[in-house]
Amino acid sequence: YVVIGLKLYKISKTKTVTLIGNLATTPGLVMMTENGFQVTILTQNGISYYYNINTNVFGQITDPNYQLASSVTTLDGYSIFSKLNSGQFFISSIIDTTTYSALDFATAEALSDNIVRIVTYNRHLYIFGTVSTEIWYDTGNANFPFERISGSLMQMGLGAKYSTAVETSGIYFLASDGIVYFTKDYSLRRISTFAIEEAISSYKVKSDATAFIYTQSGHQFYCLTFPSVNKTWCYDLNTELWHERGSLNANQTEVKSWIVSQHAYFNNEN
């Protein structure tokens, strides 16, 4: 599933492209997740849409208890959103991303910072705030299923919403202090070098950074792009070494950031 302009498309393994429907407003860089039955599409303005895989129904989420959101993820059939400009998050009904209850809200309250993004890893919710990160899990409680793990607070926030990338070893991300870390159980491990951190510290804008992880020739790369300064830095998870990626501009006179900005492994292809 892919959003291009104002349109949502489905692309099959045979590369057949099918138009699903139109979004009402310019979506910006979207987040997508799915619960096995429905795809949820969150736009940068906080509005969400859904697509039912079985019935082919597409539309905007209009439940009155839905709140404008800053991020979305899925765990155990729930669509989980962070409320825009707040420390709260809320969940959908199980296996139904269109229905919400006014009681299904919680607050990441160890520190009073706003949530930047929620990421699912190893069946846990990593709730990244501006200055802290909390880890929650599904308790199965009938009233509200998620609860914070005691002692899991990490006093480091997320510096760029789209810099997170999940791999089996953990979540890689650019932190609010300009250092690149990955999560190791309930702690953080620094992976950026002094040289990389000095380069990042010189960028006037860091919050627009985007990242992904992909595999090539047996090596896994965490690729972090800063579009406002045309720089891409890549970390080899196997050798633990950094290098810079770049692409020539149209006139082939200057090296800009790497032209690859997003990635998916689909149908056995990068």
Side-chain angles (χ1 to χ4, degrees), residues 25-221:
T25 58
T26 303
L29 192 58
V30 304
M31 292 185 185
M32 287 194 195
T33 187
E34 55 87 22
N35 60 20
F37 299 91
Q38 300 157 314
V39 179
T40 304
I41 305 102
L42 172 65
T43 64
Q44 279 189 317
N45 57 14
I47 297 171
S48 287
Y49 298 81
Y50 71 95
Y51 172 65
N52 190 304
I53 297 169
N54 297 317
T55 64
N56 293 319
V57 174
F58 169 74
Q60 184 177 330
I61 296 175
T62 57
D63 188 293
N65 293 312
Y66 173 83
Q67 304 289 315
L68 294 180
S70 58
S71 71
V72 64
T73 188
T74 302
L75 180 59
D76 296 341
Y78 297 99
S79 297
I80 302 147
F81 298 82
S82 52
K83 183 179 176 181
L84 193 65
N85 299 320
S86 83
Q88 290 185 318
F89 69 97
F90 60 97
I91 65 173
S92 70
S93 298
I94 192 166
I95 314 295
D96 185 2
T97 195
T98 66
T99 305
Y100 299 82
S101 168
L103 301 177
D104 284 339
F105 278 76
T107 302
E109 56 191 8
L111 294 178
S112 58
D113 52 336
N114 287 344
I115 297 173
V116 180
R117 183 168 188 172
I118 304 178
V119 178
T120 299
Y121 170 69
N122 199 22
R123 294 199 66 246
H124 288 72
L125 298 177
Y126 282 70
I127 303 178
F128 290 91
T130 54
V131 297
S132 68
T133 302
E134 298 181 15
I135 305 174
W136 292 52
Y137 74 110
D138 186 353
T139 65
N141 188 298
N143 293 325
F144 188 80
F146 296 102
E147 183 177 318
R148 180 162 61 93
I149 296 174
S150 178
S152 65
L153 175 67
M154 294 178 282
Q155 295 194 7
M156 185 58 63
L158 183 60
K161 180 192 296 188
Y162 299 102
S163 70
T164 62
V166 177
E167 205 274 328
T168 54
S169 58
I171 306 170
Y172 292 72
F173 67 100
L174 175 67
S176 51
D177 62 355
I179 294 175
V180 182
Y181 296 93
F182 84 91
T183 60
K184 185 68 173 176
D185 298 322
Y186 301 155
S187 63
L188 298 176
R189 178 185 165 190
R190 170 179 171 263
I191 62 169
S192 53
T193 64
F194 291 124
I196 295 294
E197 290 157 12
E198 183 177 2
I200 292 174
S201 69
S202 69
Y203 305 155
K204 290 184 178 180
V205 179
K206 307 175 187 64
S207 59
D208 63 350
T210 63
F212 59 84
I213 292 175
Y214 83 105
T215 301
Q216 178 181 343
S217 303
H219 289 260
Q220 294 170 294
F221 298 100

Side-chain angles (χ1 to χ4, degrees), residues 195-196 199 203 221-226 229-236 241-247 254-259:
I196 295 294
Y203 305 155
F221 298 100
Y222 171 75
C223 299
L224 180 65
T225 294
F226 297 85
V229 292
N230 288 311
K231 288 289 185 180
T232 299
W233 296 100
C234 292
Y235 175 73
D236 187 325
L241 297 175
W242 286 86
H243 64 273
E244 186 176 356
R245 294 274 179 99
S247 298
E254 185 180 3
V255 175
K256 299 288 189 178
S257 57
W258 193 27
I259 197 171

